[in-house]
């Protein structure tokens, strides 16, 4: 396995680059905007293909690298379903699996620091975001933070992991890089409480100043910008209402770009074909299924995904290789469902 812990000195943020092998798919957790060039260089040096960029929560102390990585690698951007960030193309909920070739991470909803905080468990280690820090816990006094919920996330979820589980947080300001659940149970001063009330009381007395970057970072991280805005301007987008009228027409081929787990969980539009987004490039090249479909019939290719972000990137990629009938369902399955579109399981 390739496992790299990368550090941003300005915000004290740890980012993690994961892959199962050289030459394979990679995933990055909590990338920082200013470090994107560095990540991309390392990804190239290790011959990796970045397919997913994940934020554990909406950060207040730095601007996320999710948007820049999406624009430069066309990777899938991932956060929890509770997040207000617009850049996200795949939303997870508690118990969902986050997968790339050869690696699986379990999403654990751990609210408290923010209401969109997730931890990710991968074998012998857990990425705890700002929920559990080394000898500390993330503050709970802004961004819908809630120390009562954080107590539950800590004592009810993370501290129930085996003692030897390695803890990799999103931040450290003292220079520590890793800990274990057992070590934190014993020596983390915030965890030496006897009740939820004691924890809430402790957290309420911290009186921390707001992070320096907060007024800049939070709005920037909420509105990173959508891939679908530019696609709509070029006339390659259909609203859910328009797409409803196209359903069942012989001149339209609906292509579902989501992963199998998303299809099973949320259902699919009847009659659609499945081309998962990571397989798109191959499928639109000469000899690929979508390429042949577009060239041998007069069918319009209508991509869709969960929220319209992956499908917008797919439209651009297909148009780039000359598949001029490619368009997408704006807002994805989410908009389709809200418009009363039928789904099959
Ligand atoms: Fe945070």
């Amino acid at each position: 396995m390739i496992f790299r812990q990368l550090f941003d000195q300005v915000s004290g943020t740890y980012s993690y680059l994961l892959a199962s092998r050289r030459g394979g798919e990679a995933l990055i957790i909590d990338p920082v905007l200013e470090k994107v060039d560095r990540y991309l260089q390392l990804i190239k040096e290790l011959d990796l293909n970045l397919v997913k960029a994940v934020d554990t929560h909406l950060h207040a102390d730095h601007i996320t690298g999710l948007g820049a990585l999406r624009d430069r690698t066309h990777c899938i951007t991932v956060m929890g379903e509770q997040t207000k960030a617009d850049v996200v193309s795949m939303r997870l909920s508690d118990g969902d699996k986050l997968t790339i070739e050869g690696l699986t991470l379990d999403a654990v909803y751990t609210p408290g620091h923010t209401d969109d905080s997730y931890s990710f468990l991968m074998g012998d280690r857990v990425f705890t975001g700002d929920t559990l820090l080394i000898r500390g816990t993330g503050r709970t006094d802004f961004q819908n933070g809630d120390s009562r919920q954080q107590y539950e996330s800590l004592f009810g979820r993370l501290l129930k992991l085996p003692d030897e589980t390695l803890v990799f947080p999103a931040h450290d300001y003292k220079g520590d890089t890793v800990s274990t659940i057992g070590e934190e149970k014993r020596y983390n001063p915030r965890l030496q409480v006897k009740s939820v009330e004691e924890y809430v009381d402790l957290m309420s007395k911290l009186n921390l100043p707001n992070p320096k970057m907060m007024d800049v970072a939070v709005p920037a991280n909420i509105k990173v910008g959508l891939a679908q805005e530019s696609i709509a301007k070029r006339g390659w987008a259909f609203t859910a209402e328009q797409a409803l009228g196209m359903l069942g027409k012989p001149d339209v081929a609906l292509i579902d770009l989501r992963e199998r787990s998303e299809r099973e969980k949320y259902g699919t539009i009847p009659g659609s074909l499945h081309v998962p987004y990571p397989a798109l490039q191959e499928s639109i090249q000469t000899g690929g299924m979508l390429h042949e479909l577009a060239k041998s019939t007069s069918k319009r290719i209508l991509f869709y995904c969960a929220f319209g972000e992956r499908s917008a990137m797919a439209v651009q990629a297909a148009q780039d290789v000359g598949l001029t009938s490619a368009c997408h369902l704006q807002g994805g399955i989410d908009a389709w469902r809200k418009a009363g579109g039928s789904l099959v399981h």
Side-chain angles (χ1 to χ4, degrees):
M1 181 175 68
I2 292 171
F3 175 85
R4 294 297 170 92
Q5 185 177 34
L6 302 153
F7 188 56
D8 173 53
Q9 302 89 325
V10 179
S11 60
T13 303
Y14 286 126
S15 310
Y16 301 92
L17 180 67
L18 312 175
S20 64
R21 63 175 179 95
R22 259 188 109 93
E25 290 183 352
L27 169 146
I28 194 164
I29 299 175
D30 289 330
V32 175
L33 177 63
E34 286 78 8
K35 294 282 170 183
V36 162
D37 284 337
R38 171 71 193 124
Y39 307 143
L40 292 174
Q41 187 193 344
L42 181 62
I43 285 164
K44 194 168 155 217
E45 286 163 355
L46 298 175
D47 190 26
L48 298 172
N49 174 24
L50 185 72
V51 294
K52 285 182 182 162
V54 187
D55 268 349
T56 52
H57 64 286
L58 193 98
H59 296 285
D61 61 333
H62 67 267
I63 297 177
T64 177
L66 253 57
L69 287 169
R70 170 201 64 192
D71 293 343
R72 291 173 64 180
T73 69
H74 303 128
C75 66
I76 297 173
T77 45
V78 187
M79 286 183 80
E81 63 179 358
Q82 293 81 1
T83 194
K84 290 178 196 75
D86 64 354
V87 69
V88 184
S89 60
M90 183 175 184
R91 287 164 194 259
L92 300 172
S93 51
D94 186 60
D96 281 351
K97 305 234 180 268
L98 172 62
T99 57
I100 58 166
E101 175 211 346
L103 292 179
T104 300
L105 287 74
D106 292 304
V108 186
Y109 182 43
T110 49
H113 169 58
T114 64
D115 57 358
D116 67 350
S117 288
Y118 276 75
S119 299
F120 294 96
L121 180 62
M122 184 180 77
D124 65 351
R125 60 199 63 196
V126 60
F127 302 97
T128 53
D130 288 356
T131 302
L132 177 59
L133 304 172
I134 300 173
R135 308 298 191 266
T137 57
R139 61 193 297 174
T140 55
D141 56 337
F142 56 67
Q143 286 188 280
N144 297 324
D146 184 323
S147 47
R148 213 163 266 280
Q149 280 187 342
Q150 190 173 54
Y151 179 90
E152 269 314 307
S153 297
L154 290 162
F155 287 87
R157 305 297 300 269
L158 296 177
L159 299 185
K160 294 214 161 130
L161 294 170
D163 275 2
E164 58 278 15
T165 310
L166 298 168
V167 172
F168 287 100
H171 289 291
D172 194 85
Y173 309 100
K174 313 172 297 293
D176 290 320
T177 55
V178 60
S179 180
T180 65
I181 291 292
E183 213 179 292
E184 291 310 309
K185 267 190 206 163
R186 249 167 289 139
Y187 303 117
N188 188 323
R190 300 256 177 98
L191 304 180
Q192 310 311 310
V193 291
K194 299 207 170 47
S195 66
V196 61
E197 271 68 33
E198 204 183 317
Y199 186 73
V200 170
D201 185 54
L202 172 72
M203 294 305 282
S204 71
K205 289 180 176 146
L206 294 178
N207 282 324
L208 299 165
N210 279 345
K212 288 193 265 329
M213 283 282 284
M214 185 167 161
D215 294 339
V216 178
V218 171
N221 289 339
I222 288 174
K223 199 161 168 45
V224 179
L226 292 166
Q228 36 195 325
E229 281 163 0
S230 63
I231 296 298
K233 277 194 201 113
R234 306 191 67 169
W236 295 333
F238 288 98
T239 64
E241 287 75 14
Q242 289 171 318
L244 275 170
M246 296 157 79
L247 191 65
K249 296 255 169 72
D251 58 339
V252 178
L254 278 158
I255 311 294
D256 186 354
L257 296 163
R258 294 169 303 158
E259 298 184 0
R260 200 169 51 122
S261 56
E262 297 176 277
R263 286 160 57 85
E264 284 167 2
K265 192 166 172 183
Y266 300 103
T268 62
I269 299 178
S272 49
L273 300 170
H274 185 210
V275 178
Y277 180 77
L280 177 76
Q281 273 305 329
E282 202 183 313
S283 196
I284 58 176
Q285 302 302 324
T286 311
M289 192 270 279
L290 282 178
H291 193 273
E292 296 313 306
L293 184 72
K295 293 290 180 187
S296 64
T297 68
S298 56
K299 278 185 197 288
R300 190 175 253 292
I301 304 273
L302 182 68
F303 289 114
Y304 74 92
C305 60
F307 300 97
E309 286 294 289
R310 275 169 281 182
S311 56
M313 294 193 287
V315 170
Q316 188 64 59
Q319 293 280 350
D320 287 348
V321 296
L323 305 186
T324 54
S325 76
C327 53
H328 85 131
L329 168 58
Q330 199 166 336
I333 280 281
D334 183 52
W336 175 262
R337 195 178 43 79
K338 286 175 184 155
S342 59
L343 292 165
V344 286
H345 282 268

